[in-house]
Amino acid sequence: MGNLCSLFTPPKPVKKRKPITKRQSSIGVSSSGSGLNSNRWNNRVRSSSSRRDNKFEDAVIQEHALAAAAVLFRQQNGGGSLPFDRSASQRYQGSCSKKNQLPRSSSSRSRSSTDPLLQPHQFLNQGVKVDDLETNHFVLIHGGGFGAWCWYKTIALLEEDGFKVTAIDLAGCGINSININGIASLSQYVKPLTDILEKLPIGEKVILVGHDFGGACISYAMEMFPSKISKAVFLAAAMLTNGQSTLDMFSLKAGQNDLMRKAQIFIYTNGNENPPTAIDLDKSLLRDLLFNQSPSKDIALASVSMRSIPFAPVLEKLSLSDANYGSVRRYYIETLEDNAIPMTVQENMINSSPPEKVYRLKGADHAPFFSKPQALHKLLLEIARISST
């Protein structure tokens, strides 16, 4: 079943913070007999700033913990798999009338009298209203091993701009309880996505965003429900051609990505004489492979949340037609510091099946929702604003 022991690396020792010794404040006297000691004053300012940063980080950690607890509560009390359409961000209170509400800000600055008395969703850049767009509904599809949890920053940013956001746990991922080793087809793996699209009211459309292996998943959905998809965004994703599998795409980089080969751990639930049932990634190599530009807190979240990748869907060749898949407008977002899907592979997929437009995220690793959330958010807004005419 592969060397699963390598997934569990010993925990790093926790560094104890040195206690802060209170000192009696004093004013230094210069050689002329008056004036402040600038070095001591600067040290006091830096110390105060450090304490504020620590308090802010503690507040963020507590907020994420509360969000995780809410998800677990839903899972334990509701059962089954639910779309992850919530975020850890604060919401507008329904008790207030819309005209009196102020826009939320991710800044810690005080509210200014010059701030606009409008909801964020009442205006976008260049004066485009959310309600005037073809659709204001994003559906986010995670990559292999990830779950809906990886989109928490993107969910918060889009919701604050007035968009509806649905982040889905595919079969066997996130809090979905299906056994990953029992998934035998791509259709079974993407069923949580196709269920949502199937239930959309007639005339309603969504913008699909697929990351990594999620690119193959949204391609499958584009072929099945082209009339329900306004646009498709491939984010460092597998953008395949007709008759191609995700494994075919991976094989293109096999010779140049030794790190990916080292990280892969194949699981043989049905015995070594049969094909693998799933793929794990060595946790000790996650930072270098997927998160080389991401914050440490997000890497820690991923290391305890990522699950195995089902192998059968990776092998499946897609059947894509011009009439269905080809009728949906496609956009590709390249991640320039990506060690999992290198730029050469991304460019090869783009050249093989050119999308309507290609965007580049400078400084983004394979997880741009962690490493470049604000820049990603701006690109998604730009794509949403593109007219259908």
Side-chain angles (χ1 to χ4, degrees):
M1 290 182 64
N3 184 12
L4 297 180
C5 294
S6 60
L7 291 175
F8 302 98
T9 56
K12 296 182 179 179
V14 178
K15 296 182 179 179
K16 295 184 178 179
R17 183 181 296 174
K18 294 181 180 180
I20 300 175
T21 304
K22 293 185 178 180
R23 294 182 180 178
Q24 212 171 11
S25 60
S26 60
I27 299 177
V29 181
S30 64
S31 58
S32 60
S34 64
L36 296 177
N37 185 316
S38 61
N39 288 335
R40 180 171 298 176
W41 174 254
N42 289 335
N43 288 336
R44 292 174 60 191
V45 171
R46 283 195 294 268
S47 177
S48 175
S49 174
S50 176
R51 287 195 294 271
R52 286 197 301 270
D53 291 343
N54 289 335
K55 289 180 180 179
F56 176 76
E57 291 180 358
D58 291 343
V60 171
I61 294 172
Q62 183 179 14
E63 188 176 15
H64 291 175
L66 289 174
V71 172
L72 291 174
F73 180 81
R74 290 170 59 203
Q75 181 186 13
Q76 293 170 357
N77 291 274
S81 172
L82 298 174
F84 188 98
D85 58 357
R86 300 183 60 192
S87 75
S89 64
Q90 289 182 309
R91 307 301 187 89
Y92 295 105
Q93 300 300 320
S95 59
C96 300
S97 63
K98 288 187 176 180
K99 69 168 66 176
N100 293 327
Q101 289 175 343
L102 294 174
R104 286 202 56 78
S105 169
S106 59
S107 170
S108 59
R109 68 170 177 83
S110 301
R111 183 71 60 186
S112 169
S113 60
T114 60
D115 285 345
L117 296 176
L118 293 172
Q119 293 283 8
H121 62 268
Q122 290 181 280
F123 60 91
L124 287 174
N125 292 341
Q126 302 175 359
V128 181
K129 296 181 180 179
V130 170
D131 293 338
D132 293 338
L133 301 176
E134 182 181 13
T135 179
N136 67 348
H137 188 182
F138 278 93
V139 177
L140 310 179
I141 308 302
H142 61 80
F146 290 85
W149 51 266
C150 73
W151 299 105
Y152 77 94
K153 294 180 181 179
T154 304
I155 293 170
L157 291 169
L158 288 173
E159 285 185 342
E160 287 179 0
D161 277 330
F163 287 93
K164 178 181 178 181
V165 186
T166 304
I168 298 172
D169 280 318
L170 298 176
C173 303
I175 63 171
N176 188 287
S177 58
I178 292 178
N179 181 3
I180 204 79
N181 291 290
I183 296 175
S185 66
L186 185 60
S187 62
Q188 184 182 1
Y189 182 61
V190 303
K191 192 174 186 303
L193 168 60
T194 55
D195 284 349
I196 285 180
L197 295 177
E198 192 171 17
K199 294 174 183 176
L200 282 178
I202 296 175
E204 184 174 330
K205 294 187 176 184
V206 301
I207 299 175
L208 289 184
V209 182
H211 169 246
D212 185 74
F213 185 32
C217 299
I218 66 173
S219 298
Y220 181 91
M222 292 159 65
E223 181 66 26
M224 289 189 66
F225 303 99
S227 64
K228 296 187 176 185
I229 303 168
S230 168
K231 302 178 180 78
V233 183
F234 292 78
L235 176 61
M239 189 169 65
L240 309 177
T241 57
N242 181 44
Q244 191 178 29
S245 71
T246 305
L247 184 65
D248 295 334
M249 185 273 291
F250 284 154
S251 66
L252 295 175
K253 64 182 180 183
Q256 56 183 300
N257 197 339
D258 189 52
L259 184 60
M260 174 63 81
R261 286 203 307 272
K262 290 180 179 178
Q264 290 176 344
I265 301 173
F266 292 92
I267 300 175
Y268 296 84
T269 300
N270 299 326
N272 291 340
E273 67 278 4
N274 294 308
T277 53
I279 308 171
D280 263 337
L281 295 176
D282 189 334
K283 296 291 178 68
S284 67
L285 297 176
L286 287 182
R287 180 186 293 271
D288 292 337
L289 180 64
L290 305 177
F291 309 119
N292 48 296
Q293 302 293 322
S294 295
S296 297
K297 288 185 175 64
D298 291 326
I299 300 174
L301 171 65
S303 67
V304 298
S305 303
M306 292 189 71
R307 298 177 64 179
S308 303
I309 307 165
F311 193 65
V314 176
L315 292 174
E316 190 168 325
K317 296 183 181 296
L318 294 183
S319 178
L320 305 174
S321 66
D322 290 337
N324 293 343
Y325 171 83
S327 67
V328 180
R329 304 174 73 178
R330 288 180 293 123
Y331 304 86
Y332 198 98
I333 300 178
E334 296 179 329
T335 44
L336 303 191
E337 305 298 328
D338 197 326
N339 289 338
I341 303 182
M343 276 299 300
T344 52
V345 178
Q346 295 183 53
E347 291 284 356
N348 183 73
M349 290 188 292
I350 291 168
N351 294 333
S352 298
S353 180
E356 184 171 318
K357 191 169 182 179
V358 176
Y359 299 87
R360 289 190 162 194
L361 274 179
K362 185 178 180 181
D365 56 21
H366 191 60
F369 34 75
F370 290 158
S371 57
K372 288 291 179 180
Q374 295 285 353
L376 172 60
H377 173 242
K378 290 180 181 178
L379 290 185
L380 294 179
L381 289 185
E382 181 175 336
I383 293 171
R385 290 197 306 266
I386 296 175
S387 173
S388 59
T389 57

